[in-house]
Amino acid sequence: MKPTILALDLEGTLISNAISQIPRPGLYRFLEDVFGHFDQLVMFTTVPEKRFRSIASLLVREGSAPAWFAELRYICWSGKTKDLLLASPRLGDALLLDDHAPYVHSGQEHLWIPIPLFGSPYPSSDDGLNVALRRLLDRIGDAECFPRTAARFEEL
């Protein structure tokens, strides 16, 4: 079964954190690229929804994220791990892109796409989203699209 949903972490994955809100290099292009490979993107973060909406709106206004990013479905959750059954009732429909292994729900490790932490000093040369895109496309079987996608990604 090919996953159709991508659950995205926010802090350390797409941006620095909810305080400084520094967009990871290549964020806009990455979001556009993954949007084209999944039926649905959802936000799966520890950041409260109201705060996420504020951050997402700022990223859109600054041109760091596409307009649709601010409207992503937000997954409300509690506990210590991110259970992908909250994204879809069928296990395997969703993948989790996250930098923090302890948030991966037990038994769902095979659905986790790890991404290197985007941490201080937040280098402009960070290529974590490029690494994540390659891993995602390998996982969903669209790796043959990567040379074209990567070329566009590298232009940023």
Side-chain angles (χ1 to χ4, degrees):
M1 161 184 1
K2 180 178 175 179
T4 59
I5 300 168
L6 178 59
L8 298 163
D9 174 53
L10 184 64
E11 295 179 296
T13 298
L14 301 180
I15 66 169
S16 55
N17 57 61
I19 304 300
S20 62
Q21 305 168 27
I22 300 167
R24 193 168 204 157
L27 178 62
Y28 192 104
R29 174 53 48 204
F30 172 80
L31 291 170
E32 284 289 310
D33 284 340
V34 296
F35 184 78
H37 290 281
F38 291 88
D39 293 344
Q40 185 180 65
L41 303 181
V42 298
M43 186 52 54
F44 210 156
T45 181
T46 58
V47 176
E49 183 174 11
K50 184 176 180 182
R51 183 78 171 136
F52 161 68
R53 299 284 173 210
S54 173
I55 292 168
S57 294
L58 176 64
L59 291 170
V60 169
R61 281 194 311 276
E62 290 178 339
S64 297
W68 51 260
F69 181 71
E71 305 302 320
L72 285 182
R73 179 167 71 106
Y74 179 92
I75 296 181
C76 294
W77 64 290
S78 61
K80 296 182 179 186
T81 62
K82 298 177 179 181
D83 186 351
L84 288 171
L85 290 174
L86 295 171
S88 172
R90 285 185 17 190
L91 194 59
D93 278 353
L95 297 175
L96 174 64
L97 179 66
D98 203 311
D99 65 295
H100 195 60
Y103 283 132
V104 178
H105 195 70
S106 180
Q108 297 179 8
E109 295 84 1
H110 65 290
L111 300 171
W112 174 45
I113 306 298
I115 182 171
L117 170 70
F118 181 51
S120 182
Y122 312 113
S124 60
S125 62
D126 175 85
D127 71 340
L129 292 174
N130 198 18
V131 169
L133 182 60
R134 184 177 296 116
R135 290 176 179 168
L136 281 165
L137 295 179
D138 284 345
R139 176 63 171 83
I140 63 174
D142 285 351
E144 67 276 2
C145 297
F146 185 71
R148 175 185 49 82
T149 303
R152 288 192 330 218
F153 187 83
E154 296 292 333
E155 291 172 4
L156 296 177

